[in-house]
Amino acid sequence: MRIQRVRSKWAKTHALLADPAVRPFVPETRPFTRATVKEMLNRMGMVYVKPVNGTFGRGVIRVEKITGRDPHYFFQSGVRQFRFETFNEMFDKLLEVKKPKPYLVQQGIELLKLEGRRFDLRVMVQRNLQSEWETTGIIGRLAHPSKIVTNYHSGGTPMTLEDLMDGNIPKQYFSQYRNGLKKIGTMVAAALTRKFPRLMEIGIDIAIDDQLRPWILEVNTLPDPYLFRKLPDPSVYRRIHRYAEHYGRFRRRKTRSKV
Ligand SMILES: Nc1ncnc2c1ncn2[C@@H]1O[C@H](COP(=O)(O)OP(=O)(O)O)[C@@H](O)[C@H]1O
Ligand SMILES: [Mg+2]
């Protein structure tokens, strides 16, 4: 049986919102329109605009409405930054910069930082040898200093959760915090399985805000297992690989002829 994949960030967001236990961790998400961007910016001040079918942080845009003494609008895509006096000027440029495909707009989370660089987490959840969902790995990703995304493919640096959270939570609470993240991992898997029963593995992008509150930015159904080779503890990747092999992730496609 083939492993199930779901590309649409919409389909996955709806599956998460359908579960009352997971719902509080999902940032508000709407279709991208002039009205939704305007309304959410007025209410939240910062949003992320991203392709419904995107990967590697490509096409992701951070949009801000700055208030106070020097009110203006601002957005960043890749390393390009733009400043505007009015919403309409800003939105017209946004239409130029975004690719001509469906986008969504999501409540922006102010990510925790380490030495001025934003970071978030990748949480790997897999069906184990008993076919139960198990959180098998957590790795942090530190954004390139001039970028608004943390993706490895956009210059993000993999780091351990311990190193990233050192200074943010007292040592004695660390394992409790990690267990909370693992629990979110299996809850998210359960929520998605209700809509997509043949999933075998997921990789959840989790943001942590300055209140240490976790937020689910997106769920990947073709998560990169190799990222976990960057962890100093090799047993993490070994287990990820063992489970993935068991459900057939690395199985070669049959060739048509043996000639
Ligand atoms: N709502 C958000 N608030 C803050 N940062 C975000 C938000 N959405 C995305 N990001 C940043 O952009 C990165 C890429 O976004 P993501 O939704 O994971 O799309 P992709 O499929 O391209 O990886 C995230 O890992 C995170 O660093
Ligand atoms: Mg992602």
Side-chain angles (χ1 to χ4, degrees):
M1 209 181 350
R2 300 230 1 243
I3 300 174
Q4 191 165 21
R5 306 292 182 203
V6 186
R7 251 170 84 70
S8 163
K9 287 188 178 20
W10 269 125
K12 290 177 278 192
T13 301
H14 284 301
L16 299 182
L17 291 174
D19 185 329
V22 173
R23 206 184 163 90
F25 300 104
V26 182
E28 186 175 332
T29 310
R30 300 258 177 265
F32 172 88
T33 67
R34 190 180 288 261
T36 54
V37 173
K38 188 169 192 173
E39 194 278 322
M40 284 173 72
L41 272 180
N42 283 341
R43 198 150 39 89
M44 305 165 172
M46 196 269 284
V47 298
Y48 268 67
V49 166
K50 44 194 186 182
V52 172
N53 295 310
T55 49
F56 302 149
R58 287 193 197 127
V60 173
I61 308 169
R62 175 187 172 99
V63 188
E64 294 175 42
K65 178 183 178 176
I66 317 281
T67 53
R69 249 195 254 158
D70 175 27
H72 62 276
Y73 290 87
F74 168 90
F75 75 72
Q76 180 170 345
S77 162
V79 291
R80 293 194 297 163
Q81 302 187 348
F82 304 84
R83 184 200 152 107
F84 307 89
E85 299 312 309
T86 68
F87 176 82
N88 283 339
E89 280 172 65
M90 187 281 290
F91 194 82
D92 290 344
K93 187 68 182 178
L94 208 49
L95 292 179
E96 237 177 87
V97 167
K98 75 179 259 298
K99 292 172 190 79
K101 54 183 188 181
Y103 270 62
L104 52 82
V105 52
Q106 189 174 64
Q107 171 186 355
I109 308 301
E110 284 298 355
L111 305 189
L112 278 186
K113 288 183 178 176
L114 182 72
E115 287 159 11
R117 296 165 66 176
R118 301 187 172 96
F119 69 84
D120 63 11
L121 311 175
R122 168 55 65 89
V123 178
M124 184 84 176
V125 192
Q126 297 171 279
R127 289 203 189 269
N128 63 20
L129 306 184
Q130 288 74 44
S131 206
E132 291 151 356
W133 286 108
E134 179 180 322
T135 300
T136 48
I138 302 178
I139 193 166
R141 306 174 306 175
L142 192 59
H144 184 277
S146 58
K147 300 250 172 113
I148 50 130
V149 301
T150 57
N151 304 62
Y152 186 59
H153 288 87
S154 292
T157 308
M159 283 189 63
T160 65
L161 183 66
E162 285 92 330
D163 287 347
L164 287 171
M165 296 311 283
D166 192 36
N168 289 306
I169 9 177
K171 279 217 167 18
Q172 68 263 37
Y173 295 123
F174 179 73
S175 69
Q176 199 182 323
Y177 195 80
R178 181 200 287 278
N179 286 339
L181 293 169
K182 287 171 116 176
K183 176 80 187 145
I184 293 177
T186 50
M187 276 177 4
V188 166
L192 284 172
T193 307
R194 260 171 243 131
K195 296 280 154 75
F196 310 110
R198 289 185 299 108
L199 288 172
M200 295 293 176
E201 54 183 7
I202 56 172
I204 312 164
D205 290 344
I206 295 190
I208 300 184
D209 70 15
D210 50 10
Q211 314 288 306
L212 299 183
R213 189 171 159 183
W215 294 90
I216 301 162
L217 298 181
E218 71 146 345
V219 184
N220 299 272
T221 60
L222 186 59
D224 173 12
Y226 304 111
L227 188 61
F228 292 89
R229 282 200 294 210
K230 309 275 181 200
L231 286 175
D233 175 3
S235 72
V236 175
Y237 176 71
R238 274 205 298 270
R239 183 165 56 228
I240 288 176
H241 191 277
R242 196 181 332 130
Y243 290 180
E245 203 163 43
H246 184 74
Y247 53 69
R249 163 86 186 245
F250 304 114
R251 206 168 286 148
R252 288 257 218 78
R253 293 254 172 88
K254 276 190 198 134
T255 44
R256 284 240 190 96
S257 85
K258 287 186 177 156
V259 183

